[in-house]
Amino acid sequence: MNINDLMSRFPRPKKTYAEKESTIFYVYVFNLVMDELIRRKLTNRRAINYVLSYTTHGNKTRAYQETHPMASKRTANVNAHKYYKRFDVYVAQSITMYLVHKSRLELAWAVKDINKIGIERYVNQLIQEILKGTI
């Protein structure tokens, strides 16, 4: 059997190794930062899940229904826009988008900084970077 015929049977991976590795870095840093923000009571899990589902499919009403299962379609439509303007949702959104735009190397340096100076000081630096607007 020809090797090309054998390889054509298997689908190509959706992500390369480098993309998977940067995703792992992102998830690790994201979870550490969000846990620290929850500990500081700046945001909560529901707001984080809302932001993640909203950035996944881009529909506020559907994201609100996913995170608030008792909401009907009408109340979700009305409340989703108000919920999006809340401070805890704003904090989760800004941190999420800031970390998304960091490269693989920056995320690796972030992991090194977290191990070196601690998560508290790293989150303080991250908040200062976001307030300065250095994205």
Side-chain angles (χ1 to χ4, degrees):
M1 177 176 266
N2 189 0
I3 189 69
N4 291 329
D5 295 334
L6 182 64
M7 290 305 289
S8 66
R9 289 185 185 178
F10 301 108
R12 284 190 43 82
K14 293 181 182 174
K15 290 186 176 181
T16 64
Y17 179 74
E19 289 171 338
K20 287 180 187 175
E21 192 172 341
S22 75
T23 305
I24 291 169
F25 277 140
Y26 172 75
V27 169
Y28 181 69
V29 173
F30 177 80
N31 285 334
L32 287 174
V33 168
M34 288 302 170
D35 287 342
E36 177 64 20
L37 292 175
I38 289 170
R39 190 185 66 76
R40 293 183 186 189
K41 300 198 184 312
L42 289 175
T43 188
N44 54 25
R45 289 271 176 224
R46 183 173 276 186
I48 293 168
N49 289 336
Y50 172 79
V51 167
L52 289 176
S53 60
Y54 175 60
T55 53
T56 302
H57 49 67
N59 189 339
K60 287 182 193 173
T61 305
R62 195 166 123 207
Y64 189 85
Q65 279 185 312
E66 288 173 5
T67 54
H68 300 77
M70 293 299 288
S72 68
K73 182 150 177 105
R74 182 178 178 189
T75 58
N77 196 18
V78 171
N79 294 340
H81 193 62
K82 293 178 188 174
Y83 190 72
Y84 186 74
K85 293 179 179 179
R86 286 178 42 165
F87 179 73
D88 55 348
V89 175
Y90 174 74
V91 168
Q93 175 86 10
S94 59
I95 297 286
T96 302
M97 290 298 108
Y98 189 75
L99 290 176
V100 160
H101 288 291
K102 286 194 172 217
S103 67
R104 178 178 171 266
L105 184 63
E106 289 173 326
L107 290 171
W109 280 103
V111 171
K112 184 179 179 186
D113 287 344
I114 289 169
N115 290 334
K116 185 177 171 185
I117 64 174
I119 187 66
E120 294 88 7
R121 286 182 60 197
Y122 178 75
V123 170
N124 290 342
Q125 288 176 356
L126 196 64
I127 291 171
Q128 287 175 352
E129 287 175 14
I130 290 174
L131 288 176
K132 286 180 192 171
T134 56
I135 190 165

